[in-house]
């Protein structure tokens, strides 16, 4: 069964249509890139899947269920912008996650933090943007979730931090879970993706496996993206 | 050896080629145990499913065999490895000959040139060629 399924999913903000009748299925065990230009509906889709927004029309199902407390326990969501308060210390956010999520692996999180030499007494406020992003990713990937929704996980960080983040994702997701990564930095994520979804103005422009794109079109996803979304 | 991928061919195909290269170069010796799929995938920074697909392909070629409980091993068949090494060398040679022909060198010209080339220069070019692969 698909871990994420959208049926004629539509979301309007007053008059603006952010998603227009999206049909989509994401199977377990796949790493999927949600790729599209700014304002194409990537964040809206992810917020609908994580239960932060409700559909205007149509349906979105996580593990066969309408988003709610039960699906939130299965979904590990990394928002584009941080929701952690910057007065918090690393140990506070760890307690926070342990409190909220039964599937949070504290030992795993502590190990990853120690490897980066981030102390549990460190305050989020004093961290660089890159370090803060890494801390958040470590928290999100330390859950044994069924669906990881990562909204622009490599957006604002340098190439070395991007590598770390991608390695952490592929090294830590549960094998039977699905990972959805939204980004417009395609050449950076291409190697780690199984499938891609191109989204344009709230509509699905293309879904394919990365191998098929390379095999059938003889070009990278990045090149294809530039062609599809040529301004 | 660095893991480099061209952007216009499937990654698993390139993984098969590059793992082969590491086997014939002795970086993964005959009979040795390969790291777990996930570990290998993280090392190369590719998707674990892609790595799995590449290893499956190498298994079909009998270059890698999987033992249910203890993981994956490089074949112990050194003859097989030698054969693949020879094939790779022939491919390289064919490509080289083609390029030399394009600039107007025949076999004798090439041999003559090889004779005059000082030893250390050849060595330098060999390592260059390696890191570029």
């Amino acid at each position: 069964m698909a871990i994420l399924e959208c049926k004629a999913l539509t979301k309007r903000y007053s008059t603006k249509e952010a998603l227009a009748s999206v049909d989509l299925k994401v199977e377990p065990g796949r790493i999927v890139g949600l790729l599209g230009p700014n304002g194409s509906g990537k964040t809206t889709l992810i917020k609908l899947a994580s239960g932060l927004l409700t559909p205007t029309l149509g349906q979105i199902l996580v593990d066969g269920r309408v988003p709610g407390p039960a699906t939130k326990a299965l979904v590990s969501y990394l928002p584009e912008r941080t929701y952690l308060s910057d007065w918090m210390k690393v140990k506070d956010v760890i307690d926070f996650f342990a409190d909220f999520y039964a599937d949070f692996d504290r030992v795993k999180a502590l190990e990853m933090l120690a490897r980066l030499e981030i102390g549990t007494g460190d305050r989020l406020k004093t961290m660089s943007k890159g370090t803060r992003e890494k801390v958040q990713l470590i928290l999100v990937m330390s859950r044994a979730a069924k669906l990881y929704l990562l909204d622009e996980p490599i957006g604002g960080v340098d190439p070395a931090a991007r590598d770390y983040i991608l390695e952490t994702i592929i090294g830590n997701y549960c094998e039977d879970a699905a990972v959805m990564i939204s980004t417009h930095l395609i050449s950076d994520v291409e190697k780690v993706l199984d499938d891609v979804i191109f989204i344009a103005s709230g509509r699905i422009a293309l879904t394919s496996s990365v191998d098929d794109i390379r095999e059938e079109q003889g070009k990278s996803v990045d090149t294809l993206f530039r062609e599809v979304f040529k301004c | 050896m660095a893991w480099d991928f061209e952007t216009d061919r499937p990654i698993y195909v390139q993984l098969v080629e590059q793992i082969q290269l590491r086997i014939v170069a002795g970086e993964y010796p005959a009979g040795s145990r390969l790291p777990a799929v996930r570990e290998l995938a993280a090392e190369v920074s590719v998707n674990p499913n892609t790595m799995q697909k590449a290893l499956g392909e190498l298994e079909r070629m009998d270059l890698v065999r999987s033992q249910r409980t203890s993981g994956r091993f490089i074949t112990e068949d050194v003859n097989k490895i030698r054969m693949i090494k020879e094939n790779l060398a022939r491919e390289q040679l064919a490509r080289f000959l083609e390029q030399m022909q394009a600039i107007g060198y025949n076999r004798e010209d090439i041999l003559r040139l090889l004779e005059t080339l000082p030893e250390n220069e050849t060595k330098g070019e060999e390592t260059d060629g390696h890191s570029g692969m």
Side-chain angles (χ1 to χ4, degrees):
Chain A
M1 188 181 61
I3 181 72
L4 178 66
E5 187 170 10
C6 306
K7 295 175 188 167
L9 180 67
T10 300
K11 179 67 185 176
R12 287 192 202 107
Y13 300 115
S14 62
T15 57
K16 196 189 173 299
E17 198 156 58
L19 285 179
S21 196
V22 165
D23 291 302
L24 198 67
K25 264 188 187 176
V26 175
E27 301 292 335
R30 310 292 284 182
I31 303 183
V32 181
L34 182 62
L35 314 176
N38 297 320
S40 53
K42 302 188 294 284
T43 297
T44 299
L45 181 60
I46 285 182
K47 283 188 172 170
L48 283 162
S50 54
L52 294 174
L53 293 173
T54 50
T56 310
L57 288 168
Q59 205 178 25
I60 185 162
L61 299 173
V62 174
D63 203 30
R65 279 171 290 189
V66 172
T71 69
K72 286 182 188 182
L74 308 176
V75 172
S76 194
Y77 166 54
L78 179 75
E80 196 182 355
R81 257 168 267 156
T82 182
Y83 51 80
L84 300 170
S85 307
D86 63 5
W87 58 263
M88 289 177 124
K89 292 178 178 170
V90 170
K91 66 172 180 327
D92 299 324
V93 291
I94 287 181
D95 288 342
F96 214 52
F97 262 68
D99 223 21
F100 261 103
Y101 302 112
D103 61 0
F104 181 71
D105 186 340
R106 183 191 288 264
V107 176
K108 190 173 180 178
L110 288 171
E111 274 172 12
M112 284 196 263
L113 289 164
R115 234 174 290 144
L116 291 178
E117 291 172 358
I118 296 170
T120 50
D122 294 2
R123 229 175 261 279
L124 296 183
K125 190 189 255 170
T126 61
M127 289 175 185
S128 69
K129 186 174 162 61
T131 306
R132 222 171 323 172
E133 300 268 330
K134 285 180 199 159
V135 169
Q136 277 210 75
L137 183 86
I138 286 172
L139 293 169
V140 167
M141 295 312 296
S142 294
R143 288 186 53 197
K146 277 193 159 179
L147 176 63
Y148 298 87
L149 298 170
L150 312 175
D151 197 357
E152 292 285 0
I154 55 170
V157 300
D158 64 75
R162 278 178 204 173
D163 286 346
Y164 173 81
I165 286 171
L166 292 174
E167 275 164 37
T168 304
I169 295 169
I170 53 182
N172 291 286
Y173 77 99
C174 294
E175 256 162 82
D176 52 352
V179 183
M180 185 181 256
I181 303 174
S182 97
T183 188
H184 52 262
L185 299 166
I186 296 159
S187 59
D188 286 311
V189 298
E190 193 165 339
K191 275 193 300 181
V192 311
L193 301 178
D194 287 300
D195 306 303
V196 292
I197 300 167
F198 281 10
I199 182 167
S201 316
R203 288 168 201 279
I204 304 296
L206 171 105
T207 57
S208 173
S209 80
V210 173
D211 281 348
D212 282 351
I213 290 176
R214 289 178 172 230
E215 220 146 354
E216 286 160 19
Q217 315 225 19
K219 56 183 77 150
S220 66
V221 175
D222 190 60
T223 307
L224 183 65
F225 183 90
R226 285 165 202 263
E227 287 174 12
V228 171
F229 294 103
K230 197 165 194 294
C231 299
Chain B
M1 249 182 256
W3 299 88
D4 276 319
F5 299 101
E6 292 159 21
T7 57
D8 52 356
R9 294 192 301 136
I11 288 164
Y12 82 93
V13 176
Q14 302 185 55
L15 274 174
V16 169
E17 293 167 358
Q18 296 196 30
I19 294 171
Q20 256 189 60
L21 209 61
R22 283 168 168 76
I23 295 172
V24 300
E27 196 175 313
Y28 296 142
S32 67
R33 189 173 180 280
L34 271 173
V37 174
R38 234 161 212 263
E39 245 172 84
L40 212 49
E43 185 196 318
V44 187
S45 4
V46 297
N47 181 303
N49 294 326
T50 308
M51 183 57 78
Q52 180 81 42
K53 198 167 168 184
L55 293 175
E57 199 61 45
L58 288 162
E59 271 178 44
R60 256 189 300 283
M61 298 162 71
D62 289 324
L63 263 183
V64 166
R65 77 193 148 75
S66 114
Q67 256 171 9
R68 217 179 304 156
T69 48
S70 42
R72 277 196 177 76
F73 294 84
I74 305 296
T75 181
E76 277 152 14
D77 187 348
V78 284
N79 278 329
K80 178 145 198 124
I81 294 175
R82 202 180 304 137
M83 232 166 62
I84 287 173
K85 187 170 185 168
E86 179 121 356
N87 280 341
L88 285 175
R90 279 176 196 279
E91 277 171 34
Q92 288 293 332
L93 207 55
R95 209 168 304 156
F96 168 74
L97 284 174
E98 207 175 290
Q99 283 169 351
M100 291 304 272
Q101 262 162 23
I103 52 173
Y105 274 62
N106 62 25
R107 268 168 192 269
E108 284 92 73
D109 296 333
I110 294 167
L111 283 173
R112 188 169 35 78
L113 190 63
L114 263 179
E115 293 293 322
T116 61
L117 215 59
E119 193 70 18
N120 50 358
E121 202 170 321
T122 338
K123 258 188 186 159
E125 298 218 334
E126 250 173 34
T127 28
D128 269 349
H130 245 72
S131 60
M133 271 198 279

